[in-house]
Amino acid sequence: MEPVGEHEGRGRLSAPRLRPGTPERAGLDAGELRRMVREVRARTGGGRPWAAGAVVVAGRGPVLAVQEAAGWAVRYAAYDEVSDTAVELPPGERVPMTVDTPFDLASLTKLFTSVAAVQQIERGTLGIDARVGAYLPDFTAARRHGVTVRQLLTHTSGLRPELPLYDCADDAQRLAVLRAERPVGAPGTYRYSDLNMLLLQHVLERLTGRPLDVLVRDGITRPLGMTATGFGPHPDAAATEDQRRPWAKADRGMLRGEVHDENAWALGGVAGHAGLFSTGRDLAVFCRTLLAGGSHGPARILGPDFVDLLLTPPGLGFALDRPYFMGELAGRGAAGHTGFTGTSLVLDRATDTYLVLLANTVHPRRPDPDHTPRAQAATRLARAVRAIRAPGPGGPADLRES
């Protein structure tokens, strides 16, 4: 059977492809977008910046109005825990950030796992309210407690946030631990958990007979032309952390191009909750595809009804209306996610806008979480829409592909 995503628009109208353009062409206020870029740049400067570097991409409709990079993809050689300071590389050895720099997406990977699952739901091979045990009878705890596919996608299974799979001796032990893991919370109660996406990965792989990286490639990234997106290793990626105990869960040294998440690393780099690398522009294509009802150019990865299933409350894999990182875009059905390494995206169907902010905030060591820059950038985008007067030439009513 042909995978969803390899249907190149047969019998369907193609959706306009994403293309670079001016803020005015996108129906956005250029002044607000300049302020957004200036604020992101300011967050990458100084001795203890929010991030060593960042890429910000934003647009409306099929128009990509902002593509900017700031700071460094690689700035530090190590972290000195004695002096609590970052050890800077000599200027000639640093790597500047560019708009084409790939990033470790961390938990943005969950969005791709969710889309892969909804593709199977659209095909009728996966039941959204089916019990996980029907597909994974050897996962005895999930089967005994009646965990459903919908609960995995909505983080309402009751599973704890994570397990120390990185401490297991081998893959057999890791699998045994997952099979035995039972919910610790009441089913139906929201509790964000990486384990939901790990179980969903096993469901999809058992159901299709194909590994997750192949499902994502064949069903999402290849048909959409997202050539810079895939599971690692990715040696040209922005550096992440000088990963060492006690602040991390493994001793791996300075990471660049290897997945940061310790469990994803222990699982070989391909995991339902983490492991993908991508660029700002590729993620803009992903956002635009969902805003266009599942199509981009001649490619279709989902039908509009199934995009609705993903993005309407409570949301499947996507977080909805979260002001802490969506700023003033939140409140009307905006959807998105954040990643531990400093990544985030938000798409707003009410205004047909999207924002991708990628930053290596954990370089050279993970800080206390600070979502303020994400919320600030999203608010700038929301205000860029509101600042536009009635539609005219080049405005929101004029966003069709010419």
Side-chain angles (χ1 to χ4, degrees), residues 304-323:
D305 290 346
F306 292 89
V307 173
D308 286 343
L309 184 64
L310 269 175
L311 302 182
T312 54
L316 302 185
F318 285 77
L320 302 182
D321 289 327
R322 304 293 175 87

Side-chain angles (χ1 to χ4, degrees), residues 224-244:
L224 294 180
M226 297 172 61
T227 57
T229 304
F231 287 92
H234 211 312
D236 296 329
T240 55
E241 187 174 35
D242 184 4
Q243 195 171 92
R244 287 182 278 134

Side-chain angles (χ1 to χ4, degrees), residues 11-321:
R12 300 176 184 272
L13 293 174
S14 64
R17 291 182 182 273
L18 193 69
R19 65 184 187 276
T22 63
E24 292 80 9
R25 178 66 180 165
L28 295 169
D29 181 74
E32 288 289 352
L33 297 187
R34 283 194 296 269
R35 284 185 278 275
M36 173 204 291
V37 171
R38 187 164 59 245
E39 288 163 354
V40 170
R41 287 187 181 280
R43 299 282 188 173
T44 66
R48 287 180 178 260
W50 174 68
V55 171
V56 58
V57 173
R60 192 179 191 196
V63 181
L64 184 57
V66 175
Q67 291 187 89
E68 296 286 344
W72 303 96
V74 184
R75 176 175 173 176
Y76 304 107
Y79 173 77
D80 185 344
E81 60 184 303
V82 176
S83 62
D84 187 28
T85 56
V87 179
E88 302 239 22
L89 286 165
E93 295 180 23
R94 299 176 194 174
V95 179
M97 191 71 75
T98 75
V99 294
D100 297 318
T101 299
F103 283 76
D104 179 340
L105 296 186
S107 284
L108 296 194
T109 302
K110 294 180 172 75
L111 304 183
F112 290 80
T113 304
S114 300
V115 169
V118 174
Q119 287 177 333
Q120 297 300 320
I121 293 169
E122 181 177 17
R123 292 174 64 184
T125 55
L126 179 65
I128 190 169
D129 289 311
R131 297 194 173 194
V132 170
Y135 305 101
L136 303 173
D138 50 327
F139 281 61
T140 52
R143 175 170 55 82
R144 188 178 305 118
H145 289 272
V147 174
T148 69
V149 171
R150 187 187 297 272
Q151 288 172 348
L152 298 182
L153 282 161
T154 57
H155 293 286
T156 56
S157 66
L159 292 168
R160 73 178 90 179
E162 63 175 354
L163 285 169
L165 301 177
Y166 45 84
D167 281 340
C168 293
D170 51 33
D171 287 343
Q173 186 181 10
R174 282 185 276 273
L175 184 58
V177 167
L178 276 175
R179 285 171 170 167
E181 179 66 11
R182 62 179 182 83
V184 297
T189 302
Y190 181 83
R191 185 187 182 95
Y192 182 81
S193 172
D194 289 348
L195 303 185
N196 289 316
M197 293 298 159
L198 284 174
L199 262 63
L200 190 59
Q201 175 186 2
H202 281 280
V203 168
L204 292 172
E205 292 182 342
R206 189 78 60 88
L207 182 67
T208 64
R210 299 194 296 169
L212 181 65
D213 56 339
V214 173
L215 292 173
V216 169
R217 183 196 67 204
D218 291 351
I220 304 173
T221 61
R222 187 167 66 184
L224 294 180
M226 297 172 61
T227 57
T229 304
F231 287 92
H234 211 312
D236 296 329
T240 55
E241 187 174 35
D242 184 4
Q243 195 171 92
R244 287 182 278 134
R245 293 179 172 93
W247 57 84
K249 302 162 189 172
D251 294 298
R252 300 168 62 200
M254 184 62 74
L255 300 177
R256 185 186 185 196
E258 297 288 337
V259 64
H260 175 271
D261 182 90
E262 293 93 341
N263 275 342
W265 164 68
L267 292 166
V270 178
H273 71 289
L276 271 178
F277 290 76
S278 188
T279 62
R281 191 186 187 285
D282 265 18
L283 290 177
V285 169
F286 181 69
C287 291
R288 177 61 199 152
T289 300
L290 296 176
L291 287 169
S295 297
H296 184 255
R300 180 187 73 83
I301 63 166
L302 282 175
D305 290 346
F306 292 89
V307 173
D308 286 343
L309 184 64
L310 269 175
L311 302 182
T312 54
L316 302 185
F318 285 77
L320 302 182
D321 289 327

